[in-house]
Every structure is written in structure tokens, then in C-alpha cells.
Amino acid sequence: ESKLCDGLGPGFPLPVEITPFCHEHTLRTIAALPSCEGCKAVLRMGSSSNNKVDGDEIAVTDNGNYIVDLHFAEAIKNVPKMAADLKALCGVVDHGLFCGMTTAVLCAGADGVTVTAPEKKNKAEKIVKNMAFLSAAVGLLAVSTMIIRKR
């Protein structure tokens, strides 16, 4: 719930994994992409597991690559275009944009779980309810099996 926002970009830096070879050139090339307009590309320092500066050394991933954090003051204008542009760059291994990979967003918060899906919202809610029912049924089945085994 605390990570919900009106648009991608402000509030959370976008991680981009890059190869160490010519990393400064790759960083400058990323920052110059028209689809990344307005971003401040910063090489992550310290631990690779968070986006806070917590050391003097370049953060290295498990695969031996570096991470560039893209900081935005405004929402990204065209997320799918940016994702494609980043992925097409030589030196970019991957990025933190997951376009077209989901059908719904499940968000747990103080008021319970909410389901958001731009299309087919009702269908997504039915699936979640069916999953919850199935989960409850499996739980009852497991309890019933344990009781029967004890007899």
C-alpha cells in the first residue's frame, strides 16, 4: 500500500543492471535516451541490495554487473517505450520495468486486499475470490485429513 503512486518514476529510483565494461559510457547513453528524459542516472554505490548509498565501492550484483539507479522528478511519460529503449542498449543487461507481464495488481493494506485491473476487473476479482475459496477448502481438507488420521 505504501508503494502505490500515480505514475512510475518519482519516489522510487528505477534500477538498470549494466555490464562493468564501458559502464561510464553506458550510464551516459542511458541518461541521454529521449525516453529517459528528465532522469538523473546514478551509479549505485555500496550494497547492491538497496538503493541507498551505503559504501564507497561500486555495488556489484550476484552476476558481477553494476546497477544504475534512474531518479525521476516527474512520472515517466511512456514506460513501454523506455523499457524497450533500455533493453536495446548495448551494455544494459536488464531493468526494473515489467511491462505487459501482469493482468492485475493485488495490494494488501490496512483495509484488506484490493484488486486493480484496468481491463477485466470483475474477472480478476472473481479469480481472487475463487483462489481464496480454494485455499480455504484445501485448508479444511488438510485439517479433516489430520483428524481422520488421528482416529
Side-chain angles (χ1 to χ4, degrees):
E1 183 173 74
S2 64
K3 292 185 178 182
L4 292 177
C5 56
D6 292 329
L8 293 176
F12 298 96
L14 171 68
V16 179
E17 185 175 359
I18 65 172
T19 58
F21 182 74
C22 293
H23 70 276
E24 291 175 348
H25 171 73
T26 304
L27 188 140
R28 287 190 304 271
T29 304
I30 291 170
L33 282 173
S35 59
C36 293
E37 182 183 356
C39 85
K40 180 181 176 190
V42 178
L43 188 63
R44 188 178 293 181
M45 304 299 283
S47 171
S48 65
S49 63
N50 64 48
N51 58 5
K52 300 190 181 1
V53 176
D54 60 358
D56 298 337
E57 301 289 321
I58 296 173
V60 179
T61 68
D62 292 342
N63 294 326
N65 296 314
Y66 297 164
I67 299 173
V68 174
D69 289 314
L70 304 183
H71 297 266
F72 291 86
E74 296 179 17
I76 299 168
K77 291 174 183 61
N78 188 337
V79 175
K81 172 82 170 125
M82 179 188 285
D85 289 352
L86 287 169
K87 198 70 170 163
L89 279 183
C90 184
V92 171
V93 177
D94 216 341
H95 53 71
L97 296 171
F98 303 98
C99 300
M101 296 178 145
T102 63
T103 55
V105 175
L106 305 177
C107 183
D111 297 331
V113 177
T114 57
V115 179
T116 304
E119 310 95 32
K120 304 176 188 172
K121 182 177 180 181
N122 292 335
K123 184 177 180 182
E125 287 175 350
K126 286 178 185 175
I127 291 170
V128 171
K129 287 177 184 173
N130 288 338
M131 289 172 61
F133 175 76
L134 180 61
S135 177
V138 169
L140 287 174
L141 180 62
V143 170
S144 300
T145 305
M146 290 170 48
I147 292 170
I148 292 169
R149 286 186 181 166
K150 286 185 177 182
R151 291 184 182 170

